[in-house]
Every structure is written in C-alpha cells, then in structure tokens.
Amino acid sequence: MPQPVKKLHIKQLTDTIFYIPDSSNIGIITEKDVQTTHIWLVDSGLRPENGTLITQALKEYFGTYTLEAILCTHGHSDHVSGNAYLKQTTGCKIWITAEEEATLAFPEFEQFLICGGTPFPQIKNPYFSAPPTHPDRLLTATETITLPQGTTIQCIPMPGHHFDMIAMLVSAPDHKKVFFAGDALFGKEHMSKYWIPFMLDIGKEKQSLKRIATIKADYYLPSHGIVTTAVESLVELNLFAIHTIEQSIIDLLDTPHTTEQVLTLIANQYNINLKLTQYVLIGTTLRSYLVYLYKCGRIYFEIIDNVFYWKRY
C-alpha cells in the first residue's frame, strides 16, 4: 500500500508567532499587511522534502504569504534541510552566523567532524546530508534584528552543541516573547531517549544552559522537545545529565582506560545499544567530555607503549 503523504501542522503561540512541531521544530515569525503575510522561519527542519511540506503548510494556514528569510540556529542538517528548496522556489534569504556557514555550505564538513576523518558511507544519509546552500547574510551572535512592523529578533550566543549556534528571543508587538532555543536545550522526552546529546564543548554548553535560565519569555521552544512556559526545570535536567556523565567518566577512570573503552563502558552503563550513528555521535561527545575534564584538571592522560590512556587524579 502507498504510504500516506506526511503533512506539517502549524500551531499558534501568540498573535504573530507560530511553530511547526516536528522532529526538529520550526519557528514562524509573521508580520501582516494588506497584501500578504510576511514570514521569517527559524530553521527549516530535517528531510529533503521538508521544503515542499513547509510551503504547503504555510499556504494552507496563511493563504497569501511571502517568505522573507530563514534564520538558522546552526548548520546541522536536521535543522536546514528545507533551505535549498525554499530558497530556490520562494527567493527567500538564508541567514546564519559566520562560524556555522561552513557546515551550511558544505554538509560533508559535519560528516568528517563526527567521524574524525573520511566518513562512513552509511553516514551519508539525509540526517547528515542537507542540500548545500550559501547564506545571504552572516549574523553576529549578539545582534538584534528589527522587522518592519516592530517585531524584534534578539540573537543570543549559545555555543556548546555546535561552534557558533544561536538562540533567538522574539518579541512581538503585543509584548509577548518566544524563545527559540535551538539545540542549546533539549526537551524531557528527548533527554529520556538520548541521555548523552551531541556536544562539541561541554564547558560552553553549561554556560549556555545557565544563560537560558536567566531569559524571560512567555514560551520556550527547544528544537527537539515540546513548548513550555517555564524553563528552569528543563535547564536543571539538561545540566543534571551533563553532571551524571562527568561523574560516571571520573568514577570509571579509577582504572586507566582508552577512549574506546570509555565509550563502551559508558554505553553499557546507560543501556545504550551503539549502532553506527550513535557510535560516531556519542563517541564525538565523549571525547569532548574527556578533553573538558582534562582541561579542568580532573583527569590526565598517559601514552604507554603507544597506547593512549585516561586516568583520574
């Protein structure tokens, strides 16, 4: 039997701010005049067909609309896969920070990074292979964008998960505020399934999470998670997960272990069945943990007979 056609559905947060719940949520910022609804998206989601699905959803919900730009939180493929189609078909602009441009324009960069060299052929799948696009505007991580009718989009630096990732605090003319967190914050369901989310810099991720706890908004939307009106407990959950992994690593390094052994032991401890995708993603993240703990002076390394070992102090 043919598979049913997937549809994306729009949900309203405020008079002018909406979102599309999906595996990677998509933000929608609007300003309306007599001719059209002007739209700015926050990210464009996973799957190559997302561009088509987004245009269908926007047309059904808003009728006549003009897609002005896509504001990318970062360059990971599961956040930008709709960019190429939307830019080609609507002429919209692509905005992203400077250090995220490379991943957006050259998706292979992401594959080489997580594999630590030439990527496995199996990694060249839609999850890691968004159609490449080149940005029309490079954002700074601290700038504020003011739209024609007064909506403001405040870019907030959120490094840690990726190099120059940003979140966006959107303030609408009705004084309602929505915080689009990108991957600086993960929802409860995502954390229960993936207790070790991907991170490149553990220290910066902690700082970003603590920054989120100070941000005042009416709604908070992680890219992977459900919308919430209170963020403190979610920040605490994300920080707690980081703490547990740190402590687990330190505890097992009472005995010297190689990086590969650390990965195996942590996966076993948290009942993670390592398939190839989890192996490269969690492997990259655990190497980030090890270097972070080393820089903090909590563990050290030795190379003995050409074997690299980690050990706690």
Side-chain angles (χ1 to χ4, degrees), residues 180-197:
F180 294 102
D183 280 353
L185 181 73
F186 292 97
K188 292 179 181 178
E189 295 79 6
H190 187 88
M191 290 302 297
S192 65
K193 186 176 181 180
Y194 306 105
W195 192 244
I196 312 178

Side-chain angles (χ1 to χ4, degrees), residues 50-303:
N50 240 43
T52 303
L53 298 174
I54 290 170
T55 57
Q56 291 173 349
L58 294 177
K59 184 175 181 179
E60 289 181 9
Y61 197 94
F62 296 106
T64 302
Y65 72 91
T66 302
L67 183 57
E68 302 289 350
I70 304 170
L71 291 80
C72 306
T73 58
H74 60 300
H76 276 167
S77 292
D78 61 325
H79 292 255
V80 301
S81 284
N83 283 13
Y85 175 87
L86 291 169
K87 184 174 184 177
Q88 180 181 4
T89 57
T90 72
C92 71
K93 306 299 183 183
I94 307 294
W95 299 350
I96 197 168
T97 56
E99 290 184 36
E100 295 295 324
E101 178 183 7
T103 311
L104 186 68
F106 305 100
E108 297 84 358
F109 178 76
E110 180 181 351
Q111 300 166 19
F112 276 82
L113 175 66
I114 63 174
C115 291
T118 302
F120 294 97
Q122 296 92 327
I123 296 299
K124 296 185 177 182
N125 60 55
Y127 190 84
F128 299 108
S129 302
T133 50
H134 293 274
D136 302 281
R137 174 176 174 178
L138 294 180
L139 301 170
T140 63
T142 57
E143 74 175 278
T144 297
I145 302 159
T146 302
L147 303 183
Q149 295 181 21
T151 302
T152 61
I153 304 169
Q154 180 184 354
C155 300
I156 303 174
M158 291 288 164
H161 174 77
H162 213 232
F163 299 105
D164 199 20
M165 186 174 70
I166 56 174
M168 296 170 200
L169 179 62
V170 183
S171 301
D174 63 1
H175 305 296
K176 295 289 186 180
K177 294 185 178 182
V178 178
F179 179 71
F180 294 102
D183 280 353
L185 181 73
F186 292 97
K188 292 179 181 178
E189 295 79 6
H190 187 88
M191 290 302 297
S192 65
K193 186 176 181 180
Y194 306 105
W195 192 244
I196 312 178
F198 182 82
M199 291 179 227
L200 288 182
D201 191 309
I202 309 305
K204 289 181 179 178
E205 176 65 18
K206 287 181 175 181
Q207 293 172 1
S208 291
L209 284 166
K210 292 174 182 177
R211 188 176 301 120
I212 290 173
T214 69
I215 293 170
K216 304 301 181 184
D218 297 283
Y219 300 97
Y220 303 83
L221 183 65
S223 289
H224 306 288
I226 62 174
V227 67
T228 182
T229 57
V231 79
E232 292 82 2
S233 62
L234 198 54
V235 168
E236 290 176 1
L237 175 64
N238 281 250
L239 285 169
F240 177 70
I242 294 173
H243 172 75
T244 62
I245 301 303
E246 288 178 9
Q247 194 59 51
S248 294
I249 292 171
I250 290 170
D251 289 344
L252 67 87
L253 290 181
D254 281 334
T255 303
H257 289 298
T258 67
T259 302
E260 198 73 12
Q261 289 170 333
V262 171
L263 172 58
T264 299
L265 291 168
I266 291 294
N268 290 343
Q269 180 177 343
Y270 289 92
N271 298 313
I272 299 170
N273 184 18
L274 288 176
K275 304 299 184 183
L276 180 59
T277 299
Q278 291 77 25
Y279 173 82
V280 296
L281 289 174
I282 295 176
T284 301
T285 301
L286 283 180
R287 288 192 292 274
S288 298
Y289 270 100
L290 288 163
V291 173
Y292 170 71
L293 292 171
Y294 169 72
K295 290 167 65 177
C296 291
R298 302 178 72 182
I299 64 175
Y300 66 97
F301 65 84
E302 291 183 312
I303 301 175

